[in-house]
Amino acid sequence: MNSIAQVFAALAAALHAVIFVMESVVWSKPAVWSRFGVASQHDADVVKPMAFNQGFYNLFLGIGIVVGLVVGGSAGDAIVYFACASIVGAALVLATGGAKYFRAAFVQGITPLIALVVAAVL
């Protein structure tokens, strides 16, 4: 995997670490749950277990990218490709939720998509 693709993959990993913190560590703060379209503290409390779980999914995908980048070689590249493709797939699924999710899907999916495209082209 070339260095440009690695940079975009690393950015995707960093973003997913931030999302993990938001969903699994500081979810109870109104400034956080409101970013996810949650309307009230009650609603945030109801979906907190789901957000907690989802945050860990994001963390594990980010860790996959980091592990792949550290391992390197064809095995490491395969791990990075898989994690990036999984994130792009999740972004596509998110986008099926309607127009209000398009921005979040774009933010989530653009850096791993660029990593995959650059890796395929260069």
Side-chain angles (χ1 to χ4, degrees), residues 68-119:
L69 292 172
V70 170
V71 168
S74 59
D77 289 353
I79 295 168
V80 174
Y81 296 147
F82 177 79
C84 285
S86 295
I87 294 170
V88 171
L92 292 171
V93 170
L94 180 60
T96 66
K100 70 180 182 175
Y101 296 108
F102 288 172
R103 182 175 184 271
F106 178 81
V107 168
Q108 174 181 318
I110 192 64
T111 53
L113 179 61
I114 292 170
L116 292 170
V117 169
V118 169

Coordinates of all heavy atoms in Angstrom, one line a residue, residues 68-119:
G68 N -3.1 -3.1 10.7 CA -2.6 -3.4 9.4 C -1.5 -2.5 8.9 O -0.5 -2.9 8.3
L69 N -1.5 -1.2 9.3 CA -0.4 -0.3 8.9 C 0.8 -0.7 9.6 O 1.9 -0.6 9.1 CB -0.8 1.2 9.2 CG -2.0 1.7 8.4 CD1 -2.4 3.1 8.9 CD2 -1.6 1.8 6.9
V70 N 0.8 -1.1 10.9 CA 1.9 -1.5 11.6 C 2.5 -2.8 11.1 O 3.7 -2.9 10.9 CB 1.6 -1.6 13.1 CG1 2.8 -2.2 13.9 CG2 1.3 -0.2 13.7
V71 N 1.7 -3.8 10.8 CA 2.1 -5.1 10.4 C 2.8 -4.9 9.0 O 3.8 -5.5 8.7 CB 1.0 -6.1 10.3 CG1 1.3 -7.3 9.5 CG2 0.5 -6.4 11.7
G72 N 2.1 -4.1 8.1 CA 2.7 -3.9 6.8 C 2.7 -5.1 5.9 O 2.1 -6.2 6.3
G73 N 3.3 -5.0 4.8 CA 3.3 -6.1 3.8 C 2.0 -6.5 3.3 O 1.0 -5.8 3.5
S74 N 1.9 -7.6 2.6 CA 0.6 -8.0 2.0 C -0.4 -8.3 3.1 O -1.6 -8.1 2.9 CB 0.8 -9.1 1.1 OG 1.4 -10.3 1.7
A75 N 0.0 -8.9 4.2 CA -1.0 -9.3 5.3 C -1.5 -8.0 5.9 O -2.7 -7.9 6.1 CB -0.3 -10.1 6.3
G76 N -0.7 -7.0 6.2 CA -1.1 -5.8 6.8 C -2.0 -5.0 5.8 O -3.0 -4.5 6.2
D77 N -1.6 -5.0 4.5 CA -2.5 -4.3 3.5 C -3.9 -5.0 3.5 O -4.9 -4.2 3.4 CB -1.8 -4.4 2.1 CG -0.6 -3.6 2.0 OD1 -0.3 -2.8 2.9 OD2 0.1 -3.7 1.0
A78 N -3.9 -6.3 3.6 CA -5.2 -7.0 3.5 C -6.1 -6.5 4.7 O -7.3 -6.3 4.5 CB -5.0 -8.5 3.5
I79 N -5.5 -6.4 5.9 CA -6.2 -5.9 7.0 C -6.8 -4.5 6.8 O -7.9 -4.2 7.1 CB -5.4 -6.0 8.3 CG1 -5.0 -7.5 8.6 CG2 -6.1 -5.4 9.5 CD1 -3.9 -7.6 9.7
V80 N -5.9 -3.6 6.3 CA -6.3 -2.3 6.1 C -7.4 -2.2 5.0 O -8.4 -1.5 5.2 CB -5.1 -1.4 5.6 CG1 -5.5 0.0 5.2 CG2 -4.1 -1.3 6.7
Y81 N -7.3 -3.0 3.9 CA -8.3 -3.0 2.9 C -9.6 -3.5 3.5 O -10.7 -2.9 3.2 CB -7.9 -3.9 1.7 CG -6.7 -3.5 1.0 CD1 -5.8 -4.4 0.4 CD2 -6.4 -2.2 0.8 CE1 -4.7 -4.1 -0.3 CE2 -5.2 -1.8 0.1 CZ -4.4 -2.7 -0.5 OH -3.3 -2.4 -1.2
F82 N -9.6 -4.5 4.3 CA -10.8 -5.0 4.9 C -11.5 -4.0 5.8 O -12.7 -3.8 5.7 CB -10.6 -6.3 5.6 CG -11.8 -6.8 6.3 CD1 -12.8 -7.5 5.6 CD2 -12.0 -6.6 7.6 CE1 -13.9 -8.0 6.2 CE2 -13.2 -7.1 8.2 CZ -14.2 -7.8 7.5
A83 N -10.7 -3.4 6.7 CA -11.3 -2.4 7.6 C -11.8 -1.2 6.8 O -12.9 -0.7 7.1 CB -10.2 -2.0 8.6
C84 N -11.1 -0.7 5.8 CA -11.5 0.5 5.0 C -12.8 0.1 4.3 O -13.8 0.9 4.2 CB -10.4 0.9 4.1 SG -9.1 1.9 4.9
A85 N -12.8 -1.1 3.7 CA -14.0 -1.5 2.9 C -15.2 -1.7 3.9 O -16.4 -1.3 3.5 CB -13.8 -2.8 2.2
S86 N -15.0 -2.1 5.1 CA -16.1 -2.2 6.1 C -16.6 -0.9 6.4 O -17.8 -0.7 6.6 CB -15.6 -3.0 7.3 OG -15.2 -4.3 7.0
I87 N -15.7 0.1 6.6 CA -16.2 1.4 6.9 C -17.0 2.0 5.8 O -18.0 2.7 6.0 CB -15.0 2.3 7.3 CG1 -14.4 1.9 8.6 CG2 -15.4 3.8 7.5 CD1 -13.0 2.5 9.0
V88 N -16.5 1.9 4.6 CA -17.2 2.4 3.4 C -18.6 1.7 3.3 O -19.6 2.3 3.1 CB -16.4 2.2 2.1 CG1 -17.3 2.5 0.9 CG2 -15.2 3.0 2.1
G89 N -18.6 0.4 3.6 CA -19.9 -0.3 3.6 C -20.9 0.2 4.6 O -22.1 0.4 4.4
A90 N -20.3 0.5 5.8 CA -21.2 1.0 6.9 C -21.7 2.4 6.5 O -22.8 2.8 6.8 CB -20.4 1.1 8.2
A91 N -20.9 3.2 5.9 CA -21.3 4.5 5.4 C -22.4 4.4 4.4 O -23.4 5.2 4.4 CB -20.1 5.3 4.8
L92 N -22.3 3.5 3.5 CA -23.4 3.3 2.5 C -24.7 2.9 3.2 O -25.8 3.3 2.9 CB -23.0 2.2 1.5 CG -21.9 2.7 0.5 CD1 -21.4 1.5 -0.3 CD2 -22.3 3.8 -0.4
V93 N -24.6 2.0 4.2 CA -25.8 1.6 5.0 C -26.3 2.8 5.7 O -27.6 3.0 5.7 CB -25.4 0.5 6.0 CG1 -26.6 0.2 6.9 CG2 -25.1 -0.8 5.2
L94 N -25.5 3.6 6.3 CA -26.0 4.8 7.0 C -26.7 5.7 6.0 O -27.8 6.3 6.3 CB -24.8 5.6 7.6 CG -25.1 6.8 8.4 CD1 -26.1 6.6 9.5 CD2 -23.8 7.5 8.9
A95 N -26.2 5.9 4.8 CA -26.8 6.7 3.8 C -28.2 6.3 3.4 O -29.1 7.1 3.0 CB -26.0 6.9 2.6
T96 N -28.5 5.0 3.5 CA -29.8 4.5 3.2 C -30.9 5.0 4.2 O -32.1 4.8 4.0 CB -29.9 2.9 3.1 OG1 -29.6 2.4 4.4 CG2 -28.9 2.4 2.1
G97 N -30.5 5.5 5.3 CA -31.4 6.0 6.3 C -32.1 7.3 5.9 O -33.0 7.8 6.6
G98 N -31.7 7.9 4.8 CA -32.3 9.1 4.4 C -31.4 10.3 4.3 O -30.2 10.2 4.7
A99 N -31.9 11.4 3.7 CA -31.1 12.6 3.4 C -30.4 13.1 4.7 O -29.3 13.7 4.6 CB -31.9 13.6 2.8
K100 N -31.0 13.0 5.8 CA -30.5 13.6 7.0 C -29.2 12.9 7.5 O -28.4 13.4 8.3 CB -31.5 13.6 8.2 CG -31.8 12.3 8.8 CD -32.8 12.5 9.9 CE -33.2 11.1 10.5 NZ -34.1 11.3 11.7
Y101 N -28.9 11.7 6.9 CA -27.7 11.0 7.2 C -26.6 11.1 6.2 O -25.5 10.5 6.4 CB -28.0 9.5 7.5 CG -28.9 9.3 8.6 CD1 -30.3 8.9 8.5 CD2 -28.5 9.5 10.0 CE1 -31.1 8.7 9.6 CE2 -29.3 9.3 11.0 CZ -30.6 8.9 10.8 OH -31.5 8.7 11.9
F102 N -26.9 11.7 5.1 CA -25.9 11.8 4.0 C -24.6 12.4 4.4 O -23.5 12.0 4.1 CB -26.5 12.5 2.8 CG -27.5 11.8 2.0 CD1 -28.2 12.4 1.0 CD2 -27.8 10.4 2.3 CE1 -29.2 11.7 0.3 CE2 -28.8 9.8 1.6 CZ -29.5 10.4 0.6
R103 N -24.7 13.5 5.2 CA -23.4 14.2 5.6 C -22.6 13.3 6.5 O -21.4 13.2 6.3 CB -23.8 15.5 6.3 CG -22.5 16.3 6.7 CD -22.9 17.7 7.3 NE -21.7 18.4 7.6 CZ -21.1 18.4 8.8 NH1 -21.5 17.6 9.8 NH2 -20.0 19.1 9.0
A104 N -23.2 12.7 7.5 CA -22.5 11.8 8.4 C -21.9 10.6 7.6 O -20.8 10.2 7.8 CB -23.4 11.3 9.5
A105 N -22.7 10.1 6.6 CA -22.2 9.0 5.8 C -21.0 9.4 5.0 O -20.0 8.7 4.9 CB -23.3 8.4 4.9
F106 N -21.0 10.6 4.5 CA -19.9 11.1 3.7 C -18.7 11.3 4.5 O -17.6 10.8 4.2 CB -20.3 12.5 3.0 CG -19.2 13.1 2.2 CD1 -18.9 12.7 1.0 CD2 -18.4 14.1 2.8 CE1 -17.9 13.2 0.2 CE2 -17.4 14.7 2.1 CZ -17.1 14.2 0.8
V107 N -18.8 11.9 5.7 CA -17.7 12.1 6.6 C -17.1 10.8 7.0 O -15.9 10.6 7.0 CB -18.2 13.0 7.8 CG1 -17.1 13.0 8.9 CG2 -18.5 14.4 7.4
Q108 N -17.9 9.8 7.3 CA -17.5 8.5 7.8 C -16.8 7.8 6.7 O -15.8 7.1 6.9 CB -18.7 7.7 8.3 CG -18.4 6.3 8.6 CD -19.6 5.5 9.1 OE1 -20.4 6.0 9.8 NE2 -19.7 4.3 8.6
G109 N -17.3 7.9 5.4 CA -16.8 7.0 4.4 C -15.8 7.6 3.4 O -15.1 6.8 2.7
I110 N -15.6 8.9 3.4 CA -14.8 9.5 2.3 C -13.3 9.1 2.5 O -12.6 8.8 1.5 CB -15.0 11.0 2.2 CG1 -14.3 11.5 0.9 CG2 -14.5 11.7 3.4 CD1 -14.9 10.9 -0.4
T111 N -12.7 9.2 3.7 CA -11.3 8.9 3.8 C -10.9 7.4 3.5 O -9.9 7.2 2.8 CB -10.7 9.4 5.2 OG1 -11.5 8.8 6.2 CG2 -10.7 10.9 5.2
P112 N -11.7 6.5 4.0 CA -11.3 5.1 3.7 C -11.6 4.8 2.2 O -10.9 4.0 1.6 CB -12.2 4.2 4.6 CG -13.3 5.1 5.0 CD -12.8 6.5 5.0
L113 N -12.6 5.5 1.6 CA -12.8 5.3 0.2 C -11.6 5.8 -0.6 O -11.2 5.2 -1.6 CB -14.1 6.0 -0.3 CG -14.5 5.9 -1.7 CD1 -14.6 4.4 -2.2 CD2 -15.7 6.7 -2.1
I114 N -11.2 7.0 -0.3 CA -10.0 7.6 -0.9 C -8.8 6.6 -0.8 O -8.1 6.4 -1.7 CB -9.7 9.0 -0.4 CG1 -10.8 9.9 -0.9 CG2 -8.3 9.5 -1.0 CD1 -10.7 11.3 -0.2
A115 N -8.6 6.1 0.4 CA -7.5 5.2 0.7 C -7.6 4.0 -0.3 O -6.6 3.6 -0.9 CB -7.5 4.7 2.1
L116 N -8.8 3.4 -0.4 CA -9.0 2.2 -1.3 C -8.7 2.6 -2.7 O -8.1 1.8 -3.5 CB -10.4 1.6 -1.1 CG -10.6 1.0 0.3 CD1 -12.1 0.7 0.4 CD2 -9.8 -0.2 0.5
V117 N -9.3 3.7 -3.2 CA -9.1 4.1 -4.6 C -7.6 4.4 -4.9 O -7.1 3.9 -5.9 CB -10.0 5.3 -4.9 CG1 -9.7 5.9 -6.3 CG2 -11.5 4.9 -4.8
V118 N -7.0 5.2 -4.0 CA -5.6 5.5 -4.2 C -4.7 4.2 -4.2 O -3.8 4.1 -5.1 CB -5.1 6.5 -3.2 CG1 -3.6 6.6 -3.2 CG2 -5.7 7.9 -3.4
A119 N -5.0 3.3 -3.3 CA -4.3 2.0 -3.3 C -4.5 1.2 -4.6 O -3.5 0.6 -5.0 CB -4.7 1.2 -2.1

